[in-house]
Amino acid sequence: MSDETEIDTDDLERRMKGAMEALRHEFASLRTGRASASMVEPIMVDAYGSPTPINQIGTVNVPEPRMVTINVWDKALVGKAEKAIRESGLGINPQLNGTIIMLPIPELNEERRRELTRVAAQYAEHARVAIRNVRRDGMDQVKKAKNSGMSEDDQKFWEGAVQELTDKMIAGVDQALEAKQAEIMQV
């Protein structure tokens, strides 16, 4: 192998890991019947004229397995935070206790669990597509290098390296999906 025909597999791996990280973040936002501080991360509150993440206007805690509390630092933002939670689509009814917003997590029924497993499968499929797109970019790099004079043996080596990386990442997505679905279906 010559040095000038090397494909940047580190960049491809970094991009594929980015897709995995996005999947983990999406999985964390799925409500599984268990309380998690990451459930409220995507919620934005209109604070002081600009959208602000809810974890930047108060302290988010999980005092028990079925409860998330948000201790809002500014009393003026309690109502706005409560409104943002109601409109977030989490399906949780916030309860106020002074500057503390309590979010009791209801038990999931069987139908909702099945629906959440389908949503998790969609998230996993989006991650697989993103990984395959990175794979396609890698294969395009190999083809360009071949047109620039890369030997056929080198081409086969780099195509194999890109495919091996893709297979490893897709297996990771499948593993994460299985774990998330098991967590969702756990009663």
Side-chain angles (χ1 to χ4, degrees):
M1 275 182 286
S2 57
D3 290 337
E4 68 266 3
T5 58
E6 193 166 306
I7 305 301
D8 188 3
T9 55
D10 290 342
D11 179 55
L12 296 176
E13 184 174 12
R14 180 189 55 76
R15 290 169 56 200
M16 287 181 185
K17 283 184 177 176
M20 285 290 295
E21 196 53 44
L23 176 66
R24 282 190 194 96
H25 192 264
E26 286 176 330
F27 278 175
S29 69
L30 275 181
R31 192 163 65 85
T32 60
R34 224 181 277 135
S36 164
S38 60
M39 291 170 43
V40 296
E41 277 181 8
I43 299 175
M44 300 298 265
V45 179
D46 183 28
Y48 313 112
S50 66
T52 307
I54 200 159
N55 60 0
Q56 291 183 12
I57 64 159
T59 307
V60 179
N61 289 314
V62 183
E64 55 188 74
R66 296 212 174 273
M67 177 75 69
V68 175
T69 61
I70 303 158
N71 188 358
V72 182
W73 299 316
D74 185 351
K75 279 186 179 181
L77 295 177
V78 173
K80 290 181 179 182
E82 180 188 18
K83 182 180 178 201
I85 293 166
R86 286 187 197 281
E87 294 173 353
S88 70
L90 273 180
I92 298 175
N93 193 20
Q95 300 170 353
L96 289 178
N97 183 4
T99 60
I100 297 175
I101 301 172
M102 297 181 295
L103 305 174
I105 312 299
E107 187 75 46
L108 295 176
N109 62 22
E110 187 68 22
E111 182 182 331
R112 181 68 178 143
R113 287 178 195 280
R114 292 195 192 291
E115 186 180 314
L116 284 174
T117 59
R118 285 193 290 275
V119 171
Q122 287 175 342
Y123 288 162
E125 186 55 34
H126 292 306
R128 284 189 205 103
V129 168
I131 289 170
R132 287 188 203 114
N133 287 339
V134 174
R135 175 193 174 275
R136 186 189 63 228
D137 292 348
M139 292 301 190
D140 288 347
Q141 288 177 22
V142 171
K143 284 179 188 153
K144 285 178 187 164
K146 182 181 189 269
N147 294 339
S148 304
M150 177 188 269
S151 72
E152 204 168 304
D153 286 344
D154 286 354
Q155 177 192 5
K156 294 276 186 229
F157 171 81
W158 287 112
E159 284 177 349
V162 170
Q163 186 61 47
E164 185 180 319
L165 181 61
T166 304
D167 292 344
K168 184 177 98 177
M169 291 296 177
I170 294 221
V173 168
D174 293 342
Q175 217 173 13
L177 175 61
E178 282 180 33
K180 188 63 176 182
Q181 287 180 330
E183 180 185 334
I184 292 169
M185 292 310 287
Q186 180 182 335
V187 178

